[in-house]
Amino acid sequence: MMLEPFHAHEPHQAPDDDFLDAVLHGLSLPKKSIPSRFLYDARGSDLFERITRVPEYYPTRTEIGLLRARAAEIEAALPSGAVVVEFGSGSSRKTELLLAALDQPCAYVPIDISAAALYPAARRIEQGFPDVGVYPVLGGFHDLARMRLPLGDSPLIGFFPGSTIGNFARHEAVDFLLSARRLLGPGAAFLLGADLQKPLNILLPAYNDADGVTAAFNLNLLARINRDLEGTFDLDAFEHAAIYNERYHRIEMHLRSLARQSASVAGRSFSFAAGETIHTENSHKYTPERFGRLAQDGGWEVSRAFYDENRLFSVNLLA
Ligand code: AVJ
C-alpha cells in the first residue's frame, strides 16, 4: 500500500472564505436562505454532537445500532485491505465501528469542513487504529470535483453516514454522488446512511427537542454572523422553526423573525417582516424506492440495504 502525502494534514482550502458572500447573497434573496454548511463552525459542530444525544433525535443512535448489529454482513460485503474515504466525517464516531468491522483496513481519509472537528477526530482514529494510515482533508463537498486521492491501488470504500446526503437539494445530491463516483473510481463501494420517511409525530420532535439544543444549533448561525461578519442580529428577536415540507419530503429549519426589524451584516442592512424566515437547512427523508432512484441518477446501484426493525433509518451499500 503506497500513500503519497499529498493531502496529509494539509488544509485543502480555507473553507470560511465564502461565508460573507453567501450570507450577503442569501439575505438578498426574495426568500432569505443561508447554506446549511455554515451551521458547522466549532460551536455548531459541538451543538450538533449534543443533538445526536437528545432522546428525540433518533438517526444517530439508530444508525450506530445498525452498524453494530449488521457488522458481520457489512464486512462480508466489502473488500479487505481497503481505504475508507469519509465525507463530512465530523467526530468520526461511526468510523470506529466501520474500521473495527472491516478486514484489515489500511487507510482512512476523513473529509470535513470544520478543522475543529476534523483534526482531533483524525488523531483519535490514528491512536485507536495504529495499523490504519490517517490522511485528513479539510474541505467542503463543493471541492470534491477538484479533489484527487493519490492512493495507489487499494480498494476504496466511500462512507457517508448520518443521512447528510439529505441536506442536499436533489440535483445537488445527484452531483455529489457523481463526484464521489469520480473521486473513488470504478469498482469502489459506497456505504451511505439515509433517513427514512416516517410519521410526523416522530419526525418533528427530532428537529425540535424539548431541551432546545436544535434551537441553539440553528440560532448559533446568527451568533456566528454577529461574531465573524460584524452582524447586529438580536438573537432574542428570532426563533427556531422546524417544519415538514410534504411536497419535497423534507424537514426544513428556519430562523423566524419575531417582529418587524432590521439587522446589518458587514455594514449592509437587511429588513425582516414579522414572521419572515431565513431558511437554514433541508433534511430530506427517503422511501427505499426514492433513495434507489436517487442513487441510480448519481451513477450508483443499491446492492444491499439494512433497516432497523422500526424502519426509522437505512444503511445502504452502493456499487
Ligand atoms: C447532520 C444533516 C444529518 O439533517 O438530521 C440535525 C443535521 N439539523 N438537527 C440532519 C441536523 C438539525 C442533520 N444532519
Side-chain angles (χ1 to χ4, degrees), residues 39-40 48 51 57 59 161-167 195 206-207 214 217 240 253 281-285:
L39 291 164
Y40 299 88
F48 176 68
I51 289 174
Y57 193 74
S163 202
T164 305
I165 193 165
N167 279 176
D195 198 10
Y207 291 85
T214 307
F217 171 67
H240 163 70
M253 285 208 314
E281 188 174 57
N282 289 318
S283 191
H284 289 82
K285 307 302 166 192

Side-chain angles (χ1 to χ4, degrees), residues 67 70-72 74-76 95-103 105 129:
L67 291 171
R70 314 302 287 271
I74 291 169
E75 188 217 336
T95 319
E96 293 179 34
L97 295 174
L98 179 60
L99 291 175
L102 293 175
D103 182 40
F129 297 85

